[in-house]
């Protein structure tokens, strides 16, 4: 790369950082005789990770010693000889390299492609002054001469060491002499930061030259978040950190100190209270980290740390480094890499935009710029503490005065969003003349008792918190809770109980004030912050006991309204255990709690509030101007807020969210809670669809949320209470199921014709009953809805203007997945049968309505398409030349065979018919990799892939090649079934992947090779090698890049997608692959879906659009207009693979010059040593004489 330009590649490497075994040779090659890429480790208890090694001249032990002088002379001469040889050979090598790059239009060589891929993830040093800066505020990464770290967490020292190593690797891009050194912890006992700071500064106190960078960890792992002494413990840690920094400030010269809070989410051995199921562990730990973060910030904001001296400064990173638990070593490495980029980003001056993560998990490294080239200090980077930049007009006014609220002017569409109280328009508020005996004839005035169970949204976490105090989220404002709070009255606080109190002033059961569920004022609000569906049974049992034993409640005769709202925390943790948090299991736990209420509580109507859609909360954290504490919210709800936009993980979360909602509806629709007249459960769906409130400038309105941008503020609780009330008065089957936070909600009133709370019975709603078992699926076909299926007006001459109907021939290359191996097998005997007619990429059995394959889709556009396989085994294979068990090394032979078949088939117009060839290979290479690493390496994969595509490029005109990335096989380890095929044959089919132990080095290696093979396929396809012809294109279809194992309702792998060996795909799996391939073909390069969720919905087949009716290639995916067919020329013969460049040097000349240079170097070296030996002999003879 030149001119410091950054290149954004389509793909990267499986790990974020390049190993130094790669980087060092690269640097030493570019600067052959500069300071070598080595270093030495010094230091005691503190961690001195790297330091440029100072080359020392070797001196004779005695200056007068002739032998010593001779030794020095010999050494110098030998070095000179080697230098001459290296210069000669190096010059030839550089000339040889130049031979390959002088032609601007030359095809890129593999060496160039590799170098470009490496350089694309590295930062280019920005030009700076030649001398080191005198001020710490002008310190660039290249100015750092040494890096130290201390305060390493005791419990996760290994992970923290890797993290620091990553930082040193990043710094090495600017200071090539640095390499990381890892040193084991000398002591197994926790040590004070002051002690470590003293040991660090002792040998450095006299070093006045060279800038030092010190990374100080302040670990929160030893603190107990739920301890009553946590405030004092945090204060002690902060004091220790402050005294340590004072020591460094006193003794170190030219030092920049960066401080970061460290935490690993785990239950400490000394913190028994965190094991209590009633404790919201994530929220407690998040609050602890926020307390420690803010306390340190308060100390470090003192000007003494950054204004007393120009050569010393201290900076606190804005967010803690949080290591989440991971059972997968591969995921752990990825997590550490992301934490490293977080640290690195905080080390630099603030940038605009965010760090991007590509689909393959590779993180783009932020780099210093010309405008912001320095390491961050307090002076050159003003504090970026969380701000409240959102529109002040949207902030909450005093909730205690309805009169004041009405006088407040607002720029919003309506003043109702500022009002916490509500007017009750209902005139008839009287109860029934006599106490009703049926729940279906229940008026609001008949309700005597209110109760609630649920999680933090019912407990009221942060409802009354001030916008600038995140710590108040820990407070449970139960008196303001939407469904159960009873603070003050309806003129100042809108809650369901306060509305009901207007109909019955003697209502009881509501909660008041601030406190936990065991606080007497909580009363019948038994919601627990952090609760999940599994906690509902315990909450319900406690609630029932309280109602039975409280003298204020006539348990048998009083009518009760009980509200249950739960599920968000299940969704926030589902990615940690998809089986435990599956929709069916969550619904079953809710059912168990409702069953208890149904069997034990008379005269009750239960509101089951349908779970809301969580995804819109992400919008709050994507706009950094809102100042939301994203790290805090991500810690509380990682499965929703951590996945990147458009990722498979986020799609799975959204799908699960909908499945939770559907499972709740199906539970109530069974009618199991309408068996007698004094009890019912009604689903209230007002939260099914929510519209996030926005400001006038379109940004999300943060005032509807508590300071953590996750829990809801009183404004939102007000609207939820109003919406719940209205839902209760709406008939079942016709309830409002969307909730616009911006819209004013007018309270509904009971009417003369419908004075009762609406239930299924008084709404004349017919329950659908329990979900019926679906009939057995007879086929895995798909529906086809595309309207425009016509071909081009004339046969196109450009592959970039190719419509699906223009395809005349289909063909396939690959292994058993392309032969349909065992696709329809019902037993082990049928496993070896190749059901080629249903093979995803080439099968042509029946029609699309019954068999989903790529050719069957294409037949909807061109019924005369040729080449598809029919039936089983090899009877009617068509142009399917795939071979079960094949490896990449066999693909060139398959290509040769395919070319011969196409040329010799009379039904094919070889030169004029457009052909679609699908290549899917690599599974057997990966599965056998550990047995033959040399011939099955990614480099070998690349070589054979390139050879195969070269043949097609040279010999086959009018062709588009689908190259499938190898399946991410790690998901298959989860596919288990108690059968001989799944327990024995599966292991044999893929031993290197499936037999490796979990978290083993062998498994980590194969996962890495899996990723590298995926990337090699893309590097070959998009390296420019096959872009010289207008009638040929290679397109990577990446839907297998990230594997998503299809799950059943229990959250376990769905075996119906797999054959009898739990390794190959069944016909259903082939159908899902066919749809994913087709849809990938209609997606532009760079925006293709990189996963397949195997939904098998019959309506999943995409259609070409009017704006882009063509199959996407790299050429027509660009912003520039695709070439028109009129300007294209028909190619009667394929173009040569390498264009002829008149300004390039002949390859044979480069080889000759290289050999000549090597011979000259060898002869010169030989002559030098001969002369040296003769001189030695003469000197020895003179000395002896």
């Amino acid at each position: 790369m030149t001119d410091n330009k950054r290149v954004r590649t389509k793909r990267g490497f499986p790990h974020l950082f390049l190993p130094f075994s790669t980087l060092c040779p690269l640097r030493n090659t570019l600067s052959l005789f500069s300071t070598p890429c080595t270093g030495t480790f010094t230091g005691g208890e503190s961690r001195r990770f790297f330091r440029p090694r100072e080359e020392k001249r070797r001196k004779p032990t005695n200056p007068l010693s002739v032998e010593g002088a001779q030794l020095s002379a010999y050494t110098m001469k030998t070095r000179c000889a080697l230098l001459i040889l290296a210069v000669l050979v190096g010059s030839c090598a550089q000339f040889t390299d130049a031979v390959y790059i002088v032609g601007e239009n030359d095809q890129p060589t593999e060496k160039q492609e590799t170098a470009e891929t490496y350089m694309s993830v590295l930062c280019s040093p920005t030009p700076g002054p030649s001398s080191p800066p005198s001020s710490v505020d002008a310190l660039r990464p290249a100015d750092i001469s040494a890096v130290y770290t201390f305060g390493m967490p005791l419990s996760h020292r290994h992970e923290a060491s890797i993290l620091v190593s990553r930082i040193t690797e990043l710094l090495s891009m600017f200071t090539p002499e640095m390499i990381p050194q890892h040193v084991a912890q000398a002591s197994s006992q926790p040590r004070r930061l002051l002690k470590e700071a003293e040991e660090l500064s002792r040998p450095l106190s006299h070093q006045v030259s060279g800038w030092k960078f010190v990374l100080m960890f302040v670990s929160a792992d030893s603190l107990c978040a739920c301890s009553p002494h946590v405030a004092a413990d945090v204060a002690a840690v902060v004091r220790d950190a402050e005294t340590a920094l004072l020591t460094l400030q006193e003794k170190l010269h030219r030092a920049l100190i960066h401080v970061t809070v460290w935490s690993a989410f785990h239950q400490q051995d000394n913190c028994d209270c965190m094991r209590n199921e009633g404790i919201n562990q994530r929220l407690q730990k998040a609050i602890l980290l926020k307390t420690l973060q803010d306390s340190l910030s308060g100390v470090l904001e003192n000007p003494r740390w950054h204004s007393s001296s120009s050569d010393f400064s201290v900076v606190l990173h804005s967010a803690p480094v949080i290591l989440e638990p991971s059972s997968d070593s591969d995921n752990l490495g990825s997590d550490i890499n992301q934490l490293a980029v977080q640290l690195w980003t905080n080390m630099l001056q603030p940038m605009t935009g965010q760090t991007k993560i590509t689909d393959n998990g590779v993180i783009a490294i932020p780099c210093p710029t010309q405008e912001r080239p320095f390491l961050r200090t307090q002076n050159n980077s003003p504090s970026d503490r969380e701000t409240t930049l959102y529109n002040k007009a949207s902030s909450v006014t005093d909730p205690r005065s309805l009169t004041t609220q009405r006088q407040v002017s607002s720029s919003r569409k309506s003043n109702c969003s500022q009002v916490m109280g509500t007017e009750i328009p209902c005139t008839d508020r009287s109860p029934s003349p006599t106490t009703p005996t049926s729940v279906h004839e229940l008026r609001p005035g008949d309700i005597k008792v209110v109760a609630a169970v649920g999680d933090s949204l019912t407990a009221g976490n942060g409802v009354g918190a001030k916008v600038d105090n995140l710590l108040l989220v820990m407070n449970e404002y139960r008196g303001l809770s939407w469904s159960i709070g009873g603070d003050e009255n309806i003129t100042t606080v809108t809650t369901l109980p306060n509305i009901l109190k207007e109909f019955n002033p003697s209502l009881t059961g509501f909660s008041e004030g601030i406190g936990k569920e065991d606080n007497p004022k909580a009363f019948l609000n038994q919601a627990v912050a952090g609760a999940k569906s599994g906690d509902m049974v315990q909450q319900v049992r406690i609630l029932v006991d309280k109602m039975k034993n409280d003298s204020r409640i006539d348990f048998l005769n009083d009518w009760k309204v009980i509200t249950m709202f739960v599920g968000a925390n299940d969704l926030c943790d589902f990615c940690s255990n998809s089986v435990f948090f599956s929709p069916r299991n969550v619904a079953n736990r809710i059912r168990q709690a409702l069953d208890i209420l149904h069997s034990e509580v008379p005269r009750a109507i239960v509101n089951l509030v349908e779970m809301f859609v969580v995804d819109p909360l992400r919008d709050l954290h994507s706009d950094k101007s809102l100042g939301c504490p994203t790290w805090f919210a991500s810690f509380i709800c990682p499965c929703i807020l951590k996945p990147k936009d458009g990722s498979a993980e986020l799609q799975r979360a959204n799908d699960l969210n909908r499945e939770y909602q559907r499972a709740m509806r199906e539970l109530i629709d069974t009618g199991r809670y309408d068996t007698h007249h004094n009890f019912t459960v009604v689903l209230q769906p007002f939260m099914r669809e929510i519209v996030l409130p926005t400001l006038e400038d379109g940004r999300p309105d943060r005032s509807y949320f508590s300071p953590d941008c996750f829990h809801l503020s009183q404004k939102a609780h007000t609207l939820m209470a109003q919406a719940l009330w209205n839902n209760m008065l709406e008939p079942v089957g016709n309830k409002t199921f969307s909730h616009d936070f911006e819209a004013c909600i007018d309270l509904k009133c009971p009417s003369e014709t419908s004075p009762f709370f609406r239930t299924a019975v008084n709404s004349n709603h017919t329950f659908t009953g329990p979900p019926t078992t679906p009939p057995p699926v007879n086929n895995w076909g798909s529906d086809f809805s595309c309207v425009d299926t016509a071909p081009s007006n004339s046969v196109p001459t450009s592959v970039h203007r190719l419509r699906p109907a223009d395809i005349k021939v289909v063909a396939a290359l690959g292994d058993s997945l392309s032969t349909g191996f065992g696709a329809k097998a019902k037993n082990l005997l049928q496993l070896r049968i190749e059901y080629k007619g249903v093979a995803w990429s080439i099968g042509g059995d029946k029609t699309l309505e019954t068999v989903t394959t790529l050719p069957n889709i294409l037949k909807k556009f061109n019924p005369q398409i040729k080449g598809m396989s029919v039936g089983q085994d090899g009877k009617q294979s068509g142009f399917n030349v795939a071979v079960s068990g094949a490896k990449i090394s066999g693909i060139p032979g398959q290509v040769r065979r395919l070319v011969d078949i196409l040329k010799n088939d009379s039904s094919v117009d070889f030169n004029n018919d457009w052909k679609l060839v699908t290549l899917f290979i690599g599974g057997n290479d990966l599965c056998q990799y550990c047995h033959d690493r040399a011939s099955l390496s990614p480099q070998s994969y690349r070589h054979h892939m390139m050879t195969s595509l070269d043949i097609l490029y040279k010999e086959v005109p009018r062709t588009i090649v689908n190259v499938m990335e190898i399946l991410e096989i790690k998901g298959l380890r989860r596919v288990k079934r108690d059968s001989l095929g799944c327990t024995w044959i599966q292991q044999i089919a893929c031993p290197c992947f499936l037999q490796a132990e979990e978290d083993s080095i062998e498994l980590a290696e194969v996962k890495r090779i899996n990723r590298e093979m995926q990337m090699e396929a893309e590097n070959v396809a998009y390296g420019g090698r096959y872009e010289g012809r207008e009638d040929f294109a290679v397109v990577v279809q990446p839907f297998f890049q990230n594997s998503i194992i299809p799950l059943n309702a229990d959250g376990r792998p769905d075996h119906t997608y797999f054959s009898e060996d739990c390794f190959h795909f069944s016909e259903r799996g082939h159908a899902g692959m066919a749809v994913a391939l087709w849809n990938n073909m209609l997606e532009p390069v760079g925006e293709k879906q990189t996963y397949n969720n195997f939904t098998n919905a019959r309506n999943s087949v995409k259609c070409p659009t009017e704006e882009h009716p063509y199959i996407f290639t790299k050429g027509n995916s660009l912003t520039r207009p695709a070439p028109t067919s009129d300007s294209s020329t028909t190619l009667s013969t394929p173009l040569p693979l390498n264009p002829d460049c008149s300004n390039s040097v002949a390859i044979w000349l480069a080889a000759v010059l290289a050999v000549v240079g090597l011979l000259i170097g060898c002869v010169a070296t030989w002559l030098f040593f001969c002369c040296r030996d003769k001189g030695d002999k003469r000197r020895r003879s003179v000395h002896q004489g």
Side-chain angles (χ1 to χ4, degrees), residues 739-904:
H739 188 29
D740 186 348
F741 276 89
E742 288 187 289
C744 295
I745 299 179
D746 295 325
L747 285 191
K748 295 184 177 182
C749 294
S751 64
E752 290 185 8
T753 57
S754 181
F756 312 124
F757 284 130
R758 304 308 295 268
T759 66
V761 173
N762 63 31
S763 301
N764 296 320
H765 177 74
T766 302
F767 289 116
T768 59
T772 58
T773 302
V777 178
N778 297 321
N779 62 73
W780 299 110
S782 297
D783 297 330
F784 185 78
S785 59
C786 303
V787 177
D788 186 4
T789 60
S792 302
N793 294 330
S794 60
V795 178
T797 56
S798 171
V799 71
H800 309 301
R801 299 185 68 83
L802 193 64
R803 298 172 184 256
D806 297 326
I807 301 292
K808 300 292 181 64
V809 177
V810 290
L813 308 161
D815 53 23
S816 55
L817 287 181
S818 296
T819 65
F821 186 91
K824 298 172 70 174
K826 304 300 180 185
N827 53 59
L828 291 180
L829 187 62
Q830 296 175 343
L831 185 61
R832 299 181 60 180
I833 299 176
E834 296 178 343
Y835 297 91
K836 294 187 176 181
V838 299
W840 60 293
S841 64
I842 193 63
D845 277 358
K846 301 180 181 179
T847 64
L848 178 61
E849 285 70 26
T850 55
V851 178
T852 303
T853 64
L854 179 62
N856 279 352
I857 297 175
L858 287 170
K859 279 196 292 186
K860 292 293 183 179
F861 295 88
N862 177 16
Q864 306 303 318
I865 198 165
K866 299 178 286 287
M868 67 191 94
S869 301
V870 179
Q872 61 189 50
D873 294 328
K875 298 176 182 178
Q876 301 181 59
S877 296
F879 300 145
N880 183 356
V881 296
V883 177
S884 294
K887 298 183 177 69
I888 186 67
S889 58
I891 297 301
Q894 291 186 25
V895 173
R896 287 289 182 194
R897 183 181 171 210
L898 175 62
V899 173
D900 291 341
I901 293 174
L902 292 174
K903 287 181 176 179
N904 297 322

Side-chain angles (χ1 to χ4, degrees), residues 413-482:
K413 293 180 295 184
S414 173
N415 193 47
C416 62
S417 64
Q418 305 296 329
V419 179
M420 299 300 106
T422 300
E423 292 184 359
I424 306 294
C426 309
T427 56
D428 184 4
R429 306 183 186 183
S430 59
S432 301
T434 59
T435 302
T437 58
S438 172
V439 71
H440 312 300
E441 298 176 353
L442 196 62
R443 299 171 185 260
D446 298 326
I447 301 299
K448 301 291 184 64
V449 179
V450 288
V453 292
D455 53 27
S456 56
L457 288 182
T458 302
N461 280 84
V463 178
K466 296 181 179 180
V467 293
D468 59 349
N469 194 336
L470 181 59
L471 300 182
L472 293 181
V473 174
M474 200 66 188
N475 288 349
E476 297 175 3
Y477 296 87
R478 292 179 181 264
L480 303 177
S481 176
W482 58 291

Side-chain angles (χ1 to χ4, degrees), residues 996-1066:
E997 295 292 332
E998 198 67 39
D999 297 328
S1000 65
I1001 297 177
E1002 293 78 11
L1003 180 58
E1005 179 187 23
V1006 184
K1007 287 181 179 178
R1008 175 177 58 83
I1009 296 300
N1010 196 162
R1011 285 295 190 191
E1012 289 185 10
M1013 286 182 173
Q1014 288 181 335
M1015 289 182 291
E1016 291 295 356
E1018 193 160 324
N1019 291 337
V1020 171
Y1022 294 144
R1025 190 178 183 86
Y1026 307 109
E1027 297 176 8
R1029 283 173 46 187
E1030 190 65 21
D1031 74 333
F1032 189 93
V1034 179
V1035 184
V1036 175
Q1037 311 298 358
F1039 69 87
F1040 265 145
Q1041 187 182 120
N1042 299 292
S1043 65
I1044 297 182
I1045 297 300
L1047 306 177
N1048 58 24
D1050 292 323
R1052 303 181 186 278
D1054 192 336
H1055 299 125
T1056 62
Y1057 286 89
F1058 300 94
S1059 188
E1060 290 297 304
D1061 59 357
C1062 291
F1063 180 76
H1064 292 89
F1065 284 101
S1066 66

Side-chain angles (χ1 to χ4, degrees), residues 125-140:
T126 55
S130 57
S131 59
S134 58
S135 170
V136 69
D137 300 318
L139 193 61
R140 301 169 184 261

Side-chain angles (χ1 to χ4, degrees), residues 286-307:
I287 291 295
L288 167 65
L289 293 177
K290 179 62 177 174
T291 303
L292 180 57
Q293 185 83 18
D294 286 354
S295 299
L296 286 169
S297 179
V299 169
L300 297 182
E301 282 181 350
N302 192 315
R304 69 181 178 188
W305 301 114
H306 45 81
S307 62

